[in-house]
């Protein structure tokens, strides 16, 4: 499995299991299946309301806690310095762990950017105290990063953003690279291009002919080709699945390689059109959703 060394020296498996929209009742089984398949990195979030089930899946799998890289996210309603210290306590308790490997801010909150900065300073304190092994952000664009970096001490280890062949955000990838921040792809196989309820005029990237042709030529699936594209370009990716067959399929990506020409033909699919929420548009009602203590 490909490992990536973060900018603070901590190693993280590049490929992880995502659990966005995994119903709580299916999450423990998905995490257990992934760990039995060989995954050693799980990405969740307070706002997914399934951290407890991630912890349960980890324990059920029998895999050593120390061998698994756990990543989770602080939700906006917990932004602020003290609030973020407390958000760690909530997440650690739900996950059933003492230390979290990577704790990141779920997104910039442009209607309360001061609190976003204070939340990041809370992450810095958690890092200094050894409660987390690395800290980072999600859905930050270049201007959010610039402001954060000018006002805080520690460069984020990771920026997790919407990134699949139809929306690759080369500008954000470049900003991350300039600062030594690892770009991590959410919806790496483009789930956001076909999830119900996210807009009608989207095209499903799993059905992109260019990707289908590459996959057919290699005897692989489109999802595997996209994951290989991420890994070969140095990114982390966290494909979501609750289906054991697809969980295994998404991990069977270490026995083939894409050529430079194939990588470039996938790069050329970028439409520049976002499918998920615009990080600059505050969503007050959603932002204020309370993360329960238990
Ligand atoms: P399921 O959980 O039923 O497998 P992303 O992580 O890019 O957002 O993609 C997640 C979506 O893609 C989910 O709807 C998931 O459904 C589906 N999915 C996951 N792996 C595969 C795969 N290998 N082939 C097709 N669809 C997949």
């Amino acid at each position: 499995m490909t490992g990536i060394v973060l900018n603070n020296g901590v190693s993280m498996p590049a490929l992880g299991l995502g659990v966005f929209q995994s119903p709580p009742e299916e999450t423990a089984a998905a995490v257990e299946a992934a760990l039995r398949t060989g995954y050693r990195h799980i990405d969740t979030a307070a706002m997914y309301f399934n951290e407890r089930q991630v912890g349960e899946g980890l324990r059920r799998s029998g895999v050593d806690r120390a061998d698994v890289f756990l990543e989770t996210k602080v939700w906006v309603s917990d932004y602020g310095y003290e609030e973020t210290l407390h958000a760690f306590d909530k997440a650690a308790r739900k996950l059933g762990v003492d230390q979290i490997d990577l704790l990141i801010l779920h997104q910039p909150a442009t209607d309360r950017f001061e609190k976003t900065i204070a939340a990041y300073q809370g992450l810095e304190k958690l890092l200094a105290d050894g409660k987390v092994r690395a800290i980072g952000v999600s859905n930050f664009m270049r201007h959010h990063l610039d402001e954060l970096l000018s006002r805080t001490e520690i460069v984020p280890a990771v920026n997790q953003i919407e990134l699949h062949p139809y929306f690759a955000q080369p500008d954000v990838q470049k900003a991350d690279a300039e600062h030594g921040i690892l770009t991590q792809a959410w919806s790496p196989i483009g789930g956001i291009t076909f999830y119900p309820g996210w807009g009608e005029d989207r095209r499903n990237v799993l059905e992109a002919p260019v990707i289908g042709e590459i996959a057919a030529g290699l005897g692989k699936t489109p999802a595997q080709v996209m994951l290989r594209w991420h890994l070969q370009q140095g990114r982390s990716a966290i494909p979501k699945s609750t289906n054991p067959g697809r969980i295994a399929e998404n991990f069977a990506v270490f026995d083939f390689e894409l050529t430079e020409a194939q990588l470039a033909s996938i790069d050329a699919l970028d439409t520049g059109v976002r499918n998920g929420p615009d990080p600059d548009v505050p969503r007050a009602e959603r932002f204020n959703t309370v993360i329960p203590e238990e």
Side-chain angles (χ1 to χ4, degrees):
M1 197 194 328
T2 313
I4 292 185
V5 179
L6 302 175
N7 62 12
N8 67 349
V10 167
S11 295
M12 180 182 85
L15 187 63
L17 177 77
V19 296
F20 173 56
Q21 294 191 338
S22 299
E25 62 280 8
E26 292 173 28
T27 301
V31 168
E32 182 182 2
L35 293 171
R36 288 187 191 279
T37 300
Y39 288 73
R40 289 294 178 267
H41 175 181
I42 312 289
D43 170 72
T44 182
M47 190 56 178
Y48 301 168
F49 302 108
N50 57 18
E51 287 171 312
R52 245 173 316 131
Q53 291 76 14
V54 168
E56 192 185 320
L58 167 59
R59 286 184 295 281
R60 271 203 228 157
S61 73
V63 175
D64 238 357
R65 156 70 190 106
D67 293 336
V68 180
F69 192 96
L70 285 181
E71 172 176 0
T72 191
K73 312 182 190 81
V74 180
W75 183 243
V76 178
S77 57
D78 283 332
Y79 283 7
Y81 184 80
E82 292 297 335
E83 292 91 333
T84 293
L85 299 185
H86 184 59
F88 166 84
D89 292 334
K90 286 197 275 189
R93 189 161 63 232
K94 287 176 194 164
L95 289 163
V97 298
D98 301 324
Q99 189 187 45
I100 291 171
D101 297 285
L102 174 60
L103 187 60
I104 67 181
L105 300 186
H106 204 129
Q107 63 169 89
T110 52
D111 61 346
R112 60 195 92 178
F113 207 74
E114 290 308 309
K115 285 203 135 194
T116 308
I117 298 286
Y120 192 80
Q121 289 163 337
L123 293 185
E124 292 181 324
K125 167 74 171 150
L126 291 164
L127 184 68
D129 290 348
K131 298 201 164 173
V132 300
R133 296 174 66 224
I135 62 176
V137 295
S138 181
N139 299 308
F140 273 50
M141 295 188 280
R142 181 186 282 275
H143 60 284
H144 305 121
L145 287 175
D146 286 344
E147 177 143 14
L148 182 80
L149 289 166
S150 72
R151 298 182 55 191
T152 57
E153 299 294 321
I154 295 175
V155 176
V158 165
N159 184 16
Q160 183 184 121
I161 58 172
E162 178 185 342
L163 207 173
H164 46 76
Y166 281 166
F167 189 55
Q169 307 208 57
D171 49 337
V172 181
Q173 290 199 57
K174 189 155 176 281
D176 288 344
E178 286 168 12
H179 296 298
I181 301 169
L182 175 73
T183 300
Q184 183 175 52
W186 67 252
S187 249
I189 57 172
I192 194 71
T193 67
F194 60 84
Y195 286 143
W198 289 80
E200 296 315 313
D201 49 355
R202 295 167 304 158
R203 277 185 302 149
N204 180 347
V205 71
L206 275 169
E207 293 167 2
V210 167
I211 297 174
E213 278 160 31
I214 295 172
L218 289 163
K220 290 286 174 179
T221 66
Q224 289 172 324
V225 167
M226 281 189 261
L227 292 170
R228 202 57 226 174
W229 170 72
H230 289 294
L231 297 175
Q232 283 184 226
Q233 294 187 340
R235 292 185 290 275
S236 171
I238 42 149
K240 175 264 172 182
S241 183
T242 47
N243 173 293
R246 288 191 285 275
I247 288 171
E249 175 186 327
N250 295 344
F251 201 70
V253 293
F254 299 104
D255 60 351
F256 73 105
E257 267 196 48
L258 302 176
T259 64
E260 287 301 322
Q262 288 170 329
L263 293 172
S265 67
I266 300 173
D267 287 338
L269 298 177
D270 187 18
T271 62
V273 178
R274 189 186 294 285
N275 293 262
D278 182 340
D280 268 330
V281 177
R283 296 175 296 157
E285 199 177 319
R286 200 169 159 75
F287 282 4
N288 293 331
T289 303
V290 173
I291 303 300
E293 292 293 322
E294 301 299 332

